[in-house]
Amino acid sequence: MGSLKNAIIAILVPLPSIVFYLCFLNSSPFPLPSNLHQWCTDRPLLLANILFFLNVNLLFWLIGLLLSNHWMIDLYWTVIPVMLAHYYEAHPKAEPSGLRSRVSVLLTWAWSLRLTHSYFRREKWEWGAREDWRFSDMRRRHGKQWWWISFFAVYLSQQVFLMGICLPMYAIHSSNKPWDTWDFIATITCITGIIVAYFADTQLYNFVQRNESLKEQGAPILLNLDKGLWGYSRHPNYVGEQLWWWGLFMFAWNVGYGWMFWGPLVNSMCLAYVTLLVEQKMLKKEYRAEAYRQYQKTTSVWIPWFRFSIGGSKQKKG
């Protein structure tokens, strides 16, 4: 019942932005007043940020307070980039290139479907089953102050990250420069990132499922995932995710928007911090702490590479 309620909330919650944008379209049967329409037309980036602030920061935050669970932002991380891609493509100020625009939108859909599938698979196909463990930790740490701190920590910060890394979508649909070699390289980078992230998430999911099965049987669990992609990098899922966002930025750089590098850069810095949190969490689990320390000594943290022995020489994969 709770999952159904959360599903209904999640489906209804973006409607304010969707309805507003439908009224903004020139073909709308319920058009905006001409002055407001012109103001929105002249400010595509500002309008996107205003809608994010009102619909996500404020509305999601209020719903999260009522539910005592800020789970929705995780789900909408997989959806908002798709909405932004179509918004920037269809905006009256857009100058889409044709092939570059179509390819970037298709890639964004592929990325979103991969991440959405991973999210629901991890949550056992339930809506809002649990809150991100980092938010739960902050909730316990801040206690009664969490209700207002959550607005900044969970939502306002997400606007900076998400709107920043999605800026290349604006650039892509603001240039009619012909497709060239750099667009092809950007496409291959994005596809590689999606594939790497998918297989890394799948291997992690299978590892977790295997341990749950072993627990039910009363058998010893596997302490570390160090096979497949995880034998070359301790966080291959983050590697794939970064490849996707840096590949998207390459499209923007190629059409003259190199200043947008700060979006994927901030995201990479955020993932570096999240990496520290994840590894600290692993080391706090006494039953696997020593095994994880050995894993840290023999396996690259991010960039995939061959294993090293504790003495520093390369090891062959077994």
Side-chain angles (χ1 to χ4, degrees):
M1 192 68 179
S3 181
L4 177 60
K5 178 191 71 175
N6 288 338
I8 293 172
I9 292 172
I11 292 169
L12 294 178
V13 78
L15 287 183
S17 290
I18 294 172
V19 170
F20 181 89
Y21 189 69
L22 291 176
C23 293
F24 174 56
L25 296 176
N26 291 328
S27 59
S28 172
F30 304 103
L32 299 175
S34 58
N35 289 342
L36 179 58
H37 187 277
Q38 188 60 48
W39 189 92
C40 294
T41 298
D42 293 339
R43 298 165 178 83
L45 289 175
L46 181 58
L47 176 60
N49 277 278
I50 289 173
L51 291 176
F52 192 107
F53 183 84
L54 295 175
N55 201 160
V56 178
N57 292 353
L58 286 178
L59 185 56
F60 280 32
W61 176 61
L62 292 173
I63 292 173
L65 292 179
L66 291 174
L67 297 177
S68 297
N69 188 334
H70 296 292
W71 65 271
M72 266 198 306
I73 191 64
D74 273 357
L75 172 61
Y76 270 90
W77 252 89
T78 76
V79 177
I80 290 173
V82 173
M83 297 175 72
L84 286 171
H86 285 287
Y87 164 77
Y88 290 134
E89 181 188 33
H91 196 279
K93 287 285 187 179
E95 294 183 22
S97 67
L99 182 57
R100 184 183 301 109
S101 295
R102 288 194 295 272
V103 167
S104 67
V105 170
L106 287 173
L107 287 172
T108 304
W109 269 100
W111 169 86
S112 176
L113 290 171
R114 192 283 304 172
L115 192 57
T116 303
H117 171 262
S118 177
Y119 170 82
F120 278 111
R121 180 175 59 179
R122 184 188 70 212
E123 301 301 311
K124 302 186 186 301
W125 308 101
E126 294 185 6
W127 297 72
R130 57 181 175 173
E131 186 177 57
D132 187 292
W133 63 269
R134 290 162 292 187
F135 301 155
S136 298
D137 284 352
M138 286 189 280
R139 181 189 297 277
R140 287 190 293 270
R141 189 162 62 248
H142 294 292
K144 293 181 179 180
Q145 304 301 316
W146 176 240
W147 74 271
W148 67 266
I149 292 176
S150 61
F151 177 78
F152 299 94
V154 178
Y155 298 101
L156 196 60
S157 63
Q158 303 286 353
Q159 179 165 0
V160 175
F161 295 142
L162 195 51
M163 297 302 292
I165 55 178
C166 287
L167 274 175
M169 296 173 183
Y170 170 78
I172 289 166
H173 302 301
S174 299
S175 172
N176 55 15
K177 178 183 177 182
W179 178 277
D180 61 23
T181 302
W182 282 108
D183 292 303
F184 178 75
I185 294 172
T187 300
I188 295 301
T189 303
C190 288
I191 292 173
T192 301
I194 293 169
I195 292 173
V196 168
Y198 170 77
F199 280 104
D201 281 344
T202 298
Q203 289 165 5
L204 177 60
Y205 173 79
N206 290 337
F207 174 80
V208 172
Q209 293 299 110
R210 174 62 175 158
N211 271 346
E212 288 183 0
S213 176
L214 289 172
K215 281 183 181 178
E216 291 175 359
Q217 298 169 21
I221 65 170
L222 305 172
L223 296 180
N224 276 323
L225 171 57
D226 57 3
K227 301 293 189 296
L229 293 174
W230 298 80
Y232 298 96
S233 167
R234 300 204 299 271
H235 302 276
N237 49 346
Y238 295 167
V239 173
E241 190 71 2
Q242 288 182 88
L243 280 174
W244 154 255
W245 291 115
W246 282 104
L248 194 66
F249 161 72
M250 288 173 66
F251 284 114
W253 171 79
N254 190 36
V255 297
Y257 287 79
W259 62 268
M260 291 181 177
F261 80 94
W262 71 266
L265 177 62
V266 170
N267 183 62
S268 293
M269 293 170 63
C270 178
L271 281 179
Y273 177 64
V274 171
T275 297
L276 291 176
L277 294 180
V278 170
E279 299 219 336
Q280 289 171 3
K281 182 181 180 183
M282 296 296 289
L283 292 172
K284 287 178 181 177
K285 300 177 178 180
E286 294 184 7
Y287 66 93
R288 66 166 34 142
E290 185 56 36
Y292 198 79
R293 288 191 189 95
Q294 296 299 314
Y295 182 52
Q296 287 177 315
K297 293 175 181 177
T298 60
T299 309
S300 169
V301 60
W302 269 4
I303 300 174
W305 194 248
F306 296 100
R307 285 185 185 169
F308 286 87
S309 67
I310 294 177
S313 60
K314 238 187 294 189
Q315 280 185 337
K316 290 184 178 180
K317 284 271 299 164

